[in-house]
Amino acid sequence: GLAQSAGTEVMGGIVQRRESPDPKTFLGKGKVAELRQLVDMHSADVVIFDNDLSPSQTRNLEKVVETKVLDRTELILDIFASSARTHEARLAVELAQLEYSLPRLKRMWTHLSRQTMGVGMRGPGEKQLEVDRRLVEKRIHELKLDLQKVEKRKQREVAGRRDFLTVSLVGYTNAGKSTLMNALTAADVEAVDKLFATLDTRTRRWTLPSWGPVLLSDTVGFIRDLPHKLVASFRATLEEAREADLLLHVADASNPAVLDQISAVYGVLQELGIDEKQTLLVINKIDLPGAAERMQAVQNRYRHSVAVSARSGLGLDVLSKSVST
């Protein structure tokens, strides 16, 4: 799903089960040879690992397969970069990308042995790599300062809403949070069938029966093994979820891995320090094929959950009543 969201066509795959990764190439020697054959067979442009690789493992693999190798974090960063629309989201993505790339400059830069030359550039004969590293570190420092300002502004915005009950939508990416927000508030937020379509927080007024108006916020979607650098970079965006009175945890009943996705979201909430916050599980997409059986499995484990279809409106009245009470 991540690979397809990034615009790639998946031609094949390899799985290896072993006690620990090979320190040099992550996969064992035989699997690396098998991977090379698969790359040649499909004339593949890129190899994507559903794991995080060290810089040396990536370099060693690229030498063998003779094509670009991406790990899971780099792929997620690429999707985030293509989805970033606002200034705040672009700052957060750039920071995460630079922090990821800093230890990998040797692989990414091709001008490693070039010396800085020219008028005003005759320094102590630093290698270009060292100059690049210092420039990246300087930019990281600038981005962190910019994001601190954004976070303080966001904290002031959130604090200014204390007169209202605040509800925040959280959940696995592509669970239907934006569609649910549109259905509850007529927000006209972009909702597409794509991972990480929403990177920016949107807040709209939601009128609850027998209660009145509350503020409902849509947030960036979570995913298993969400890179720590991304969580740190998006602290300002996640401020809405941290300060909300109630979290609506939206889960996709049509996905065969829905129970694993729910667990992954709770793991990210724990990482953010908000797993103890009052949360209502909302099982979405119950009208899609195969969803009924999975919905039952989820409700057997999470008995106080609410089942809805954001697209058709089924169950939204029950959800509104549940939040009101």
Side-chain angles (χ1 to χ4, degrees):
L2 284 170
Q4 288 166 348
S5 288
T8 63
E9 182 183 356
V10 180
M11 306 300 296
I14 284 179
V15 175
Q16 180 167 37
R17 291 176 177 84
R18 50 182 291 155
E19 286 186 11
S20 60
D22 185 289
K24 290 184 178 179
T25 53
F26 196 81
L27 299 173
K29 194 178 290 185
K31 280 291 178 184
V32 172
E34 189 180 328
L35 178 60
R36 172 61 196 259
Q37 288 178 345
L38 204 60
V39 168
D40 291 342
M41 185 191 309
H42 294 290
S43 301
D45 301 310
V46 64
V47 172
I48 300 171
F49 276 73
D50 190 23
N51 316 84
D52 282 335
L53 303 175
S54 70
S56 62
Q57 285 171 337
T58 305
R59 274 198 309 273
N60 293 333
L61 283 163
E62 286 183 338
K63 286 177 187 173
V64 177
V65 299
E66 295 184 348
T67 193
K68 186 172 179 60
V69 173
L70 299 182
D71 67 5
R72 181 181 175 84
T73 294
E74 198 168 1
L75 178 62
I76 292 174
L77 287 172
D78 183 78
I79 297 169
F80 268 59
S82 67
S83 300
R85 296 285 179 269
T86 66
H87 176 63
E88 178 188 332
R90 289 190 184 109
L91 286 178
V93 171
E94 186 184 352
L95 175 59
Q97 285 180 319
L98 289 176
E99 289 188 323
Y100 174 85
S101 68
L102 189 57
R104 294 166 172 80
L105 287 180
K106 192 173 284 189
R107 174 175 73 95
M108 298 165 73
W109 267 224
T110 57
H111 47 269
L112 306 185
S113 60
R114 219 185 302 156
Q115 304 290 316
T116 53
M117 298 294 287
V119 177
M121 298 292 288
R122 295 189 183 94
E126 291 177 295
K127 288 187 177 177
Q128 186 69 37
L129 173 62
E130 291 161 359
V131 176
D132 291 338
R133 185 172 285 132
R134 207 164 49 246
L135 288 171
V136 170
E137 288 170 346
K138 182 172 181 286
R139 181 60 180 155
I140 286 172
H141 178 69
E142 291 170 352
L143 287 167
K144 284 182 175 178
L145 290 177
D146 288 344
L147 281 168
Q148 282 174 9
K149 292 174 188 172
V150 170
E151 192 169 345
K152 285 175 183 173
R153 188 177 71 242
K154 183 71 76 173
Q155 286 170 348
R156 288 194 298 271
E157 285 175 12
V158 174
R161 299 172 186 154
R162 285 294 90 196
D163 295 340
F164 290 90
L165 177 74
T166 54
V167 181
S168 188
L169 296 168
V170 298
Y172 211 80
T173 182
N174 211 29
K177 297 183 294 299
S178 297
T179 304
L180 181 60
M181 186 171 190
N182 287 339
L184 295 173
T185 68
D188 198 27
V189 168
E190 181 187 25
V192 294
D193 185 16
K194 181 185 174 186
L195 302 184
F196 301 118
T198 302
L199 292 187
D200 310 291
T201 303
R202 290 83 171 249
T203 302
R204 300 290 186 272
R205 186 172 291 209
W206 175 25
T207 303
L208 289 171
S210 72
W211 181 282
V214 302
L215 294 179
L216 182 66
S217 297
D218 190 12
T219 60
V220 60
F222 300 152
I223 196 168
R224 68 173 174 85
D225 303 326
L226 188 67
H228 293 285
K229 286 182 173 57
L230 269 181
V231 174
S233 298
F234 276 82
R235 281 185 65 83
T237 303
L238 295 166
E239 186 66 27
E240 304 280 356
R242 276 202 299 274
E243 296 299 325
D245 297 301
L246 172 69
L247 299 180
L248 293 185
H249 175 177
V250 184
D252 177 4
S254 70
N255 194 301
V258 60
L259 287 170
D260 291 335
Q261 291 184 349
I262 291 170
S263 298
V265 170
Y266 280 126
V268 177
L269 292 177
Q270 188 172 18
E271 191 177 330
L272 292 169
I274 55 176
D275 52 312
E276 298 297 325
K277 195 175 285 290
Q278 190 172 357
T279 305
L280 175 64
L281 181 63
V282 182
I283 311 168
N284 190 25
K285 306 186 186 182
I286 59 171
D287 52 343
L288 294 184
E293 188 178 327
R294 296 187 196 104
M295 178 189 72
Q296 192 59 54
V298 173
Q299 289 183 318
N300 288 342
R301 185 179 295 187
Y302 303 96
R303 298 192 180 278
H304 299 293
S305 54
V306 177
V308 305
S309 167
R311 200 166 291 282
S312 70
L314 185 66
L316 295 186
D317 54 338
V318 178
L319 172 61
S320 296
K321 286 174 187 172
S322 298
V323 174
S324 299
T325 55

